Amino acid sequence: MKILAIGKNYALHNKEMDGALYKTENPVVFMKPDSALLKDGKPFFLPDHLGRVDHEVEVVVRICRLGKNIDEKFAHRYYDAVTVGIDFTARELQRKLKDKGHPWEVSKAFDGSAALGKWVGIEGKDVQDLHFHLDINGQTVQTGWTGDMLYRVDELISYASRFFTLKTGDLLYTGTPAGVGPVSIDDHLEGYLGDEKLLDFRVK
């Protein structure tokens, strides 16, 4: 199982990070190891050596069949469920690495950095018309709508499959909207798809 993740896929998030609305020339794809996965409501243990760690709520898609060089018009056949997840990011470390032109996986792919909620089937759902949000300690801190994605889910799957063979059980984190911010010990995170709570855990 591999975790594929997309960066810079919501224009307003790009503005809050870089000061401008823009769309990248191609999807920005990075990977996380399976040791990054955090599920079943287990707590996120905040690393004390990474500096500020930000939440990034995202819609996550589950790959359901083997595929390579997938045509975009057939991409919808390759996923069967969605949920909400958190792409935790060591923000200060990421900036330092990017400024030096270094790879920044250590700021994105550390243990526990890919929180994952409960799956729901996509039957009857339009994956490009999903509303989602993240609450911390009972307050909404991020809201998103998949219709605002710069690259749609089917585009992402088609693009990623040019480079990586997609396999059953692989995960695709589709990018975060604006509103990212730091988490602290004792924070209570709850992620929703529509009105349904799919993600619920605490920071330790």
Side-chain angles (χ1 to χ4, degrees), residues 125-192:
K125 292 183 172 62
D126 178 355
V127 295
Q128 296 305 149
D129 189 22
L130 299 176
H131 293 269
F132 59 103
H133 69 274
L134 173 67
D135 289 359
I136 297 183
N137 303 327
Q139 300 295 318
T140 299
V141 295
Q142 275 188 278
T143 60
W145 175 52
T146 55
D148 286 331
M149 285 181 179
L150 298 173
Y151 291 99
R152 296 176 293 108
V153 171
D154 290 0
E155 291 179 275
L156 297 174
I157 287 175
S158 177
Y159 181 79
S161 72
R162 297 187 210 169
F163 307 96
F164 313 105
T165 298
L166 301 184
K167 296 184 177 182
T168 301
D170 286 349
L171 308 178
L172 176 65
Y173 282 63
T174 58
T176 194
V180 303
V183 294
S184 303
I185 291 174
D186 294 329
D187 278 349
H188 181 200
L189 278 66
E190 298 170 289
Y192 292 79

Side-chain angles (χ1 to χ4, degrees), residues 33-44:
D34 57 6
S35 57
L37 197 60
L38 180 72
K39 58 182 182 177
D40 301 326
K42 293 179 180 177
F44 172 65

Side-chain angles (χ1 to χ4, degrees), residues 99-114:
D99 287 346
K100 294 178 181 179
H102 294 172
W104 37 265
E105 276 80 3
V106 293
S107 69
K108 279 280 195 179
F110 53 89
D111 289 354
S113 62

Side-chain angles (χ1 to χ4, degrees), residues 12-135:
L12 290 177
H13 173 61
N14 296 346
K15 184 175 182 180
E16 75 176 345
M17 291 291 100
D18 300 327
L21 297 169
Y22 64 92
K23 181 177 181 178
T24 56
E25 183 178 357
N26 292 299
V28 175
V29 182
F30 61 96
M31 300 181 72
K32 294 179 181 248
D34 57 6
S35 57
L37 197 60
L38 180 72
K39 58 182 182 177
D40 301 326
K42 293 179 180 177
F44 172 65
F45 290 95
L46 189 65
D48 58 8
H49 64 292
L50 293 180
R52 168 177 161 170
V53 174
D54 283 2
H55 58 78
E56 297 187 8
V57 70
E58 313 196 1
V59 168
V60 186
V61 174
R62 184 176 69 190
I63 302 300
C64 65
R65 60 192 296 186
L66 186 71
K68 175 70 175 175
N69 292 321
I70 300 166
D71 191 301
E72 185 181 327
K73 65 184 178 183
F74 299 125
H76 65 279
R77 301 178 181 178
Y78 287 82
Y79 53 94
D80 64 352
V82 294
T83 189
V84 289
I86 305 291
D87 167 23
F88 282 113
T89 303
R91 188 67 67 201
E92 295 162 339
L93 178 58
Q94 183 192 38
R95 288 185 179 129
K96 290 177 182 178
L97 293 168
K98 289 171 70 175
D99 287 346
K100 294 178 181 179
H102 294 172
W104 37 265
E105 276 80 3
V106 293
S107 69
K108 279 280 195 179
F110 53 89
D111 289 354
S113 62
L116 187 71
K118 296 181 293 186
W119 294 108
V120 294
I122 61 170
E123 185 175 354
K125 292 183 172 62
D126 178 355
V127 295
Q128 296 305 149
D129 189 22
L130 299 176
H131 293 269
F132 59 103
H133 69 274
L134 173 67
D135 289 359

